[in-house]
Amino acid sequence: VDSWRDQLNRFMKKEIIPDGTRLKPFLTNNPLFICVFLYFLQKLLFVTTYYFIFMSFGIKQDALYLLFIMPLIGIITTLPITFSGFGVRESALIYFFRDAHVEAEICIGVGLTFLLLWQIPKFFGGLFLIVSILRKQAPIEKIDNVKY
C-alpha cells in the first residue's frame, strides 16, 4: 500500500504538472488567480510605500514589522468613519508605532504623506474621467431669444 505522500507525488506528476502544460492555463486564464495576485501585489506596494515614507522621515523600521502592521492599519482605515481614513490612519499609526518609539508627530506626518501619495493619482484619474465625459456630451448652444 502506497503512503499518502507517494500517492500525492504520483498525482502531481501525472495530473497536475507533467510538463507544466496543465498549470499554465490555470495561471494565465484564471480570473481568481489574477485578482489574488494583483491584490497581493498592491498590498506589497502599500507596505513598500510606508517603508520609504518612514525612511524619508529618518526612521528605520523593520520591514517584517511593517509587513504585519500595515495591513491592520489598512483594514482600520477602510472603516467608514472618515473621508479616506483621514485621522483614523494617523491614530492607528500612533497606536501601533508607540512601542517602536516613533513620535506622534512623525506618525501624523507619515499618515498625511501616505494620504497625499495615494490620493493624488485618484484625483488625476477623476479629473480625466470628468474631462472625458464632458467631451462626449454635445456642446450647449446659446439661445438668444429666451424671454424670462
Side-chain angles (χ1 to χ4, degrees):
V1 176
D2 291 337
S3 69
W4 66 271
R5 288 182 185 161
D6 294 334
Q7 290 176 359
L8 181 64
N9 194 13
R10 201 171 348 142
F11 176 75
M12 291 295 283
K13 285 182 181 177
K14 179 181 165 190
E15 294 294 327
I16 304 295
I17 315 173
D19 57 355
T21 56
R22 287 180 153 237
L23 193 59
K24 189 174 181 180
F26 173 75
L27 297 178
T28 56
N29 297 333
N30 190 347
L32 179 64
F33 176 77
I34 294 169
C35 288
V36 169
F37 174 74
L38 290 176
Y39 172 78
F40 281 111
L41 188 66
Q42 189 263 346
K43 291 303 171 191
L44 184 63
L45 182 64
F46 177 74
V47 171
T48 306
T49 304
Y50 268 112
Y51 180 75
F52 285 120
I53 292 173
F54 271 110
M55 284 182 62
S56 71
F57 277 91
I59 304 295
K60 180 75 174 165
Q61 281 296 325
D62 184 29
L64 192 60
Y65 183 73
L66 288 175
L67 192 63
F68 285 107
I69 295 301
M70 287 307 158
L72 292 174
I73 291 175
I75 290 170
I76 293 170
T77 302
T78 59
L79 295 174
I81 299 172
T82 62
F83 173 73
S84 276
F86 184 71
V88 176
R89 177 185 307 103
E90 290 75 18
S91 300
L93 282 167
I94 291 170
Y95 177 78
F96 284 112
F97 286 101
R98 68 177 176 199
D99 294 333
H101 306 292
V102 178
E103 293 87 13
E105 295 85 7
I106 291 183
C107 289
I108 292 171
V110 167
L112 292 176
T113 304
F114 184 82
L115 178 72
L116 287 175
L117 284 176
W118 282 78
Q119 295 303 322
I120 288 174
K122 292 177 186 177
F123 170 75
F124 286 116
L127 190 63
F128 177 75
L129 177 68
I130 290 171
V131 168
S132 65
I133 288 173
L134 290 177
R135 282 187 178 176
K136 289 181 182 178
Q137 290 179 350
I140 300 174
E141 297 176 1
K142 287 187 176 180
I143 302 174
D144 294 329
N145 297 332
V146 176
K147 294 182 181 176
Y148 295 100

